[in-house]
Amino acid sequence: MTRRRPLLVGNWKMHGIGADLGQVAAIADTAARHPGVEVALCLPSTLIDRAARLRPDLAIGAQDCHAAPAGAFTGGISAAMVADAGASLVIVGHSERRSQGDDAAMVRDKLMSAQAAGLDVILCVGETANDHAAGRGAHAVAAEMVASLPPSCARERLIVAYEPRWAIGTGRTPTAAEVKAVVRRLRETLADSGHGSAAPRILYGGSVSPDNTARLLEAAPDGLLVGAASLAPAEFDRIITIAAAAG
Ligand code: PGA
């Protein structure tokens, strides 16, 4: 299999206002200097339009979307709305959304809505600290992925992000061997579950930093989902540079 360009996705979570658009431009500049990697930035919905206009050369994503295409859902933002604002991708099933009530059925519906709106989808899955400690991590992650995937899904527009819940924002990361084992398990599960031949990228996310980028990318060569470190331009710059050098 030919090696794909690693994809590095920043997830700004609930951070960023107009005054931070300079950081978006800095990240786009870094990405432009390193054509050997792909870079995308998942921003708060309020910044998508401005960021996409400022730097059409950078892939901009949303961090969530509503499952319904439209309706009486005060505060909701549909997939078509984020696409209209200039996003080309969206995260669904992030553990911070799952912990606020997004169950597998809802994640499935969001994924379908997002693909129907023409967006690429990053589906996040990850095991709890208990499952990890009990050695059930790979099994739990694969089961969560299967439960979150609709029966018909455009594989070529699907990206799976393995994000151990206990690693997000904690500074703790799994070993390279653990990441490799889960990535392999997810790849096998996707191959077994049919629906087309496209093999979705499988990213790793959770406390990615410049110090562990090379190790984690070796274990998850398709790419990384980066939270806190993507908010610090110098750190994300280093992550992109290290990933480009490793390619
Ligand atoms: P983190 O977040 O890099 O800050 O751990 C990753 C994520 O939540 O996607």
Side-chain angles (χ1 to χ4, degrees):
M1 195 166 64
T2 48
R3 194 176 188 283
R4 292 183 278 200
R5 289 195 298 164
L7 172 64
L8 304 171
V9 183
N11 172 14
W12 275 19
K13 310 193 180 189
M14 200 171 74
H15 298 280
I17 59 172
D20 301 310
L21 284 167
Q23 288 190 35
V24 173
I27 290 167
D29 287 342
T30 303
R33 279 199 305 277
H34 296 290
V37 295
E38 275 180 61
V39 178
L41 204 51
C42 292
L43 295 171
S45 301
T46 47
L47 279 183
I48 291 172
D49 176 65
R50 280 175 283 174
R53 283 175 201 271
L54 179 69
R55 293 306 295 255
D57 55 329
L58 182 69
I60 304 292
Q63 301 167 10
D64 189 35
C65 65
H66 200 282
F73 301 107
T74 300
I77 299 178
S78 72
M81 289 171 184
V82 296
D84 179 58
S88 57
L89 69 151
V90 62
I91 296 172
V92 300
H94 191 282
S95 69
E96 287 155 15
R97 303 295 324 171
R98 291 185 192 263
S99 65
Q100 287 175 55
D102 283 19
D103 60 12
M106 195 181 292
V107 173
R108 243 181 359 243
D109 289 346
K110 289 183 175 189
L111 196 158
M112 283 191 288
S113 271
Q115 289 199 334
L119 295 167
D120 288 346
V121 177
I122 300 180
L123 168 66
C124 293
V125 289
E127 83 281 16
T128 62
N130 278 351
D131 279 336
H132 179 247
R136 291 191 299 265
H139 176 78
V141 175
E144 187 171 71
M145 180 182 73
V146 169
S148 306
L149 278 177
S152 69
C153 155
R155 290 289 182 92
E156 62 288 353
R157 283 196 281 108
L158 174 70
I159 297 158
V160 177
Y162 165 46
E163 295 212 302
R165 288 173 184 230
W166 53 271
I168 294 176
T170 60
R172 295 169 55 214
T173 52
T175 64
E178 287 173 321
V179 175
K180 267 188 195 162
V182 174
V183 168
R184 191 179 326 114
R185 178 70 167 260
L186 293 177
R187 208 173 284 304
E188 286 166 3
T189 305
L190 283 164
D192 289 348
S193 58
H195 302 305
S197 55
R201 281 180 160 127
I202 301 176
L203 313 182
Y204 169 82
S207 293
V208 174
S209 72
D211 293 342
N212 59 31
T213 292
R215 173 173 71 81
L216 292 168
L217 205 53
E218 213 260 310
D222 290 344
L224 304 169
L225 180 51
V226 185
S230 71
L231 279 161
E235 288 207 10
F236 202 36
D237 184 297
R238 279 179 63 207
I239 289 171
I240 293 168
T241 307
I242 291 165

